[in-house]
Amino acid sequence: MRRLALRLVAGLFAVALALGACGGSSLDSLTGILRDPAPDVGGVALADASNADAPFTLKAAPDELLVVYFGYTACPDVCPTTLADLRSAVRRLEDDASRVDVAIITVDPDRDDGERLTSYIQSFFPGGHALRSDDADELQAAADAFGAAYEVVQTDEGVEVGHTAYLYGVDESGLIRVQWSFGVTPDDLEHDLAYLLREGI
Amino acid sequence: MRKLIGLLAVLTLLVGACGSSGDLVVEDAWARTSASMQEAGAVYMTINGGDEADRLIDVSVSSDVAMVAELHETAMAEGGDGMMSMQPVTAIDIPADGAAMLEPGGFHVMLMKLAEPLTSGSTVELTLTFENAGTVEVSAEVRED
């Protein structure tokens, strides 16, 4: 009987340790993808349709984070899912929510004019930036800097768009500190955003 | 006589249970609210298969909601560059006694050319057509996430 009690205590101790380790590790690192070396996108600037087409440089304001997404407004499934999950994560940051800025870069500028793109991103994020270019080379160069890819094909049935669906977390020096794959949960997004905002950017 | 009534009640219950467990059931149908200027939407749901395998072969929606509804699948392109794209599919398999999930990043009902924005609290009525089960009316709740 005494043995059993000892075993129980040992077991409880092990569980407590495991729980502690679990809590600790989840606070000490990012859940998203870390690229080494971190790509520098701070040299890229695109016209911001939400600000009278003024050039927007792809870096965060001081002590903030900029989250960048390559997408398009006619996207029914992937883009709204990711942007809605990002919105949930940012809302949960409460006081720090204002330190996260969001920009969408359209991969479908033929259909996404400035007004449409601005209205779209700002229905998720009121201050969201609507970045676009009618110059195919300029858009490609911006995508290359991030490692993003896209393809817009005109078919008999309409326009088919393929695109990489990552979110990129960019700091004030223009480095991609973390990127998240499609399907990342609001929990993991919230954790990583809070981590970066707390640990210094 | 009492015994007979009791037996009849039990038998009736059994028959009832048998019928309900053997049918295909659609659950948790929902659509995300559409962003401003978003022309296309998606509806997601879980389709629990009945005793026999079935196939979802068609979907339709009232023109008050969207011009056309289609069965689509989002998939990661081959080649390893992580590119995602969407294709129409002719059918979605519903396994016997299993489930087909229509969920973000996978199979979904695509609503093309939305007539009105999809707003929180409203519903989207769809008619699904299955190869064996015939038509099933589904009411999808519109919500943010």
Side-chain angles (χ1 to χ4, degrees):
Chain A
M1 190 61 199
R2 204 164 151 201
R3 259 203 175 157
L4 185 66
L6 271 175
R7 274 197 193 161
L8 268 175
V9 169
L12 280 172
F13 191 65
V15 169
L17 268 180
L19 277 175
C22 155
S25 67
S26 74
L27 290 173
D28 289 336
S29 57
L30 293 164
T31 66
I33 301 164
L34 306 182
R35 288 165 63 184
D36 187 24
D40 185 351
V41 296
V44 181
L46 289 171
D48 182 355
S50 74
N51 186 25
D53 285 343
F56 180 89
T57 302
L58 274 296
K59 52 170 78 169
D63 208 33
E64 290 188 9
L65 274 174
L66 172 69
V67 179
V68 181
Y69 186 70
F70 286 81
Y72 63 107
T73 68
C75 174
D77 179 31
V78 168
C79 313
T81 298
T82 300
L83 293 173
D85 287 346
L86 177 63
R87 174 177 57 196
S88 299
V90 171
R91 275 181 187 162
R92 291 189 209 162
L93 295 173
E94 298 181 354
D95 289 350
D96 278 335
S98 60
R99 294 171 65 199
V100 179
D101 209 4
V102 178
I104 187 170
I105 300 175
T106 180
V107 299
D108 187 11
D110 285 351
R111 291 189 294 171
D112 287 342
D113 62 26
E115 195 183 342
R116 172 178 293 274
L117 192 65
T118 300
S119 183
Y120 179 81
I121 192 64
Q122 294 195 344
S123 70
F124 289 99
F125 303 96
H129 302 276
L131 310 185
R132 61 184 303 286
S133 176
D134 289 313
D135 177 345
D137 292 337
E138 186 182 39
L139 180 59
Q140 186 64 58
D144 288 348
F146 281 85
Y150 58 91
E151 188 178 47
V152 181
V153 184
Q154 186 74 46
T155 68
D156 293 343
E157 280 141 38
V159 183
E160 272 182 23
V161 179
H163 64 122
T164 48
Y166 297 103
L167 288 166
Y168 303 91
V170 180
D171 68 14
E172 61 185 68
S173 61
L175 295 178
I176 298 179
R177 297 287 295 275
V178 61
Q179 77 185 46
W180 300 277
S181 301
F182 174 78
V184 59
T185 63
D187 281 351
D188 283 350
L189 276 172
E190 180 201 0
H191 167 271
D192 284 2
L193 292 170
Y195 176 85
L196 285 171
L197 291 170
R198 191 186 64 231
E199 295 298 312
I201 303 160
Chain B
M1 187 59 190
R2 261 202 171 165
K3 269 190 184 165
L4 211 62
I5 290 174
L7 186 63
L8 193 68
V10 168
L11 281 176
T12 310
L13 271 177
L14 280 176
V15 169
C18 162
S20 66
S21 75
D23 290 344
L24 173 150
V25 179
V26 179
E27 286 181 330
D28 301 328
W30 72 285
R32 197 184 300 283
T33 49
S34 61
S36 171
M37 307 305 273
Q38 185 181 323
E39 280 191 355
V43 184
Y44 309 106
M45 67 193 80
T46 301
I47 305 172
N48 293 306
D51 291 340
E52 288 174 23
D54 207 336
R55 277 157 37 104
L56 173 59
I57 51 174
D58 199 13
V59 59
S60 63
V61 68
S62 154
S63 59
D64 299 347
V65 177
M67 196 171 78
V68 65
E70 288 183 357
L71 302 175
H72 276 238
E73 182 180 22
T74 297
M76 192 83 83
E78 287 172 24
D81 59 4
M83 202 127 77
M84 297 184 87
S85 62
M86 209 177 51
Q87 253 84 47
V89 293
T90 51
I92 297 173
D93 287 323
I94 318 296
D97 299 321
M101 309 293 288
L102 277 62
E103 58 192 356
F107 289 117
H108 55 273
V109 172
M110 178 170 170
L111 305 175
M112 299 161 93
K113 295 242 185 289
L114 292 171
E116 299 274 337
L118 301 175
T119 53
S120 197
S122 63
T123 54
V124 171
E125 313 301 322
L126 295 176
T127 304
L128 305 178
T129 306
F130 295 91
E131 213 164 54
N132 300 325
T135 60
V136 175
E137 305 292 328
V138 172
S139 182
E141 176 196 5
V142 179
R143 55 176 206 251
E144 250 191 7
D145 40 38

